[in-house]
Amino acid sequence: GQIIPERRFVEAINRQAYQYEMGDFPTEWEAWIRKKRKDPPTIEEILKNENYREEMKQKIKDVSEKDKLLQAKEYKEGLVAERVHTHVKGHASAPYYGKKEPSQDPTSTASSFQPGSWMPPGSGSSHNK
C-alpha cells in the first residue's frame, strides 16, 4: 500500500562512480536524473543543444572582440577616458600604510596612533625641518 518513488541513476561505463565530476555528462541527463524534466533526453536534443551552446560562445566572442575594438577607437579619439589602473599598497587600518621608513611626523590611521620619530640632523631623510 506504499508508493515508492522512482529512482533515476547513471551507470558508470569507463570510470568508477566516484571519479565523475560535475559537467562530465550532458546537462539534459543531469536534469532528468534530478527530476527537473519528465522524459529522458534524446541524442538529437543533446546534439542540438550542444551546437547551440557553441554558436552562442562564438557569438559572444565576436561581440566582445568588436566591443574591444570600439573601445580602443573611442580611447584613441578621446571620446572615452581610459581606465586608470590603481595599485593598492596596503590597507587604511594598517599602522604604517604605504610607508617604509620612520617619519618625523606623527601618523594616525584608523584606531592607531604612531608618534613621530626623532631623526638626527643631516641624516638625509626626506623630511628635513
Side-chain angles (χ1 to χ4, degrees), residues 53-71:
R53 285 187 205 104
E54 290 300 320
E55 286 177 18
M56 291 308 294
K57 284 180 187 177
Q58 187 61 39
K59 286 180 181 180
I60 290 169
K61 186 177 176 183
D62 293 343
V63 167
S64 66
E65 287 176 7
K66 286 180 184 177
D67 187 47
K68 285 180 184 177
L69 291 173
L70 181 63
Q71 281 183 357

Side-chain angles (χ1 to χ4, degrees), residues 80-95:
V80 178
E82 291 192 43
R83 293 185 197 135
V84 178
H85 297 285
T86 57
H87 180 70
V88 179
K89 292 184 178 180
H91 192 272
S93 66

Side-chain angles (χ1 to χ4, degrees), residues 24-120:
D24 280 353
F25 54 95
T27 55
E28 293 84 5
W29 278 109
E30 207 169 309
W32 179 76
I33 289 171
R34 297 178 190 278
K35 299 181 182 178
K36 301 291 181 186
R37 59 182 290 158
K38 188 175 182 178
D39 299 320
T42 62
I43 293 175
E44 293 82 21
E45 178 186 2
I46 293 172
L47 292 175
K48 184 181 108 182
N49 289 343
E50 195 172 304
N51 288 337
Y52 176 75
R53 285 187 205 104
E54 290 300 320
E55 286 177 18
M56 291 308 294
K57 284 180 187 177
Q58 187 61 39
K59 286 180 181 180
I60 290 169
K61 186 177 176 183
D62 293 343
V63 167
S64 66
E65 287 176 7
K66 286 180 184 177
D67 187 47
K68 285 180 184 177
L69 291 173
L70 181 63
Q71 281 183 357
K73 180 182 172 189
E74 289 175 346
Y75 291 150
K76 191 175 182 180
E77 294 175 356
L79 298 173
V80 178
E82 291 192 43
R83 293 185 197 135
V84 178
H85 297 285
T86 57
H87 180 70
V88 179
K89 292 184 178 180
H91 192 272
S93 66
Y96 292 106
Y97 177 71
K99 294 188 177 184
K100 300 291 183 200
E101 62 183 45
S103 170
Q104 289 181 347
D105 302 324
T107 309
S108 175
T109 55
S111 61
S112 67
F113 175 77
Q114 184 69 32
S117 301
W118 179 82
M119 303 293 269

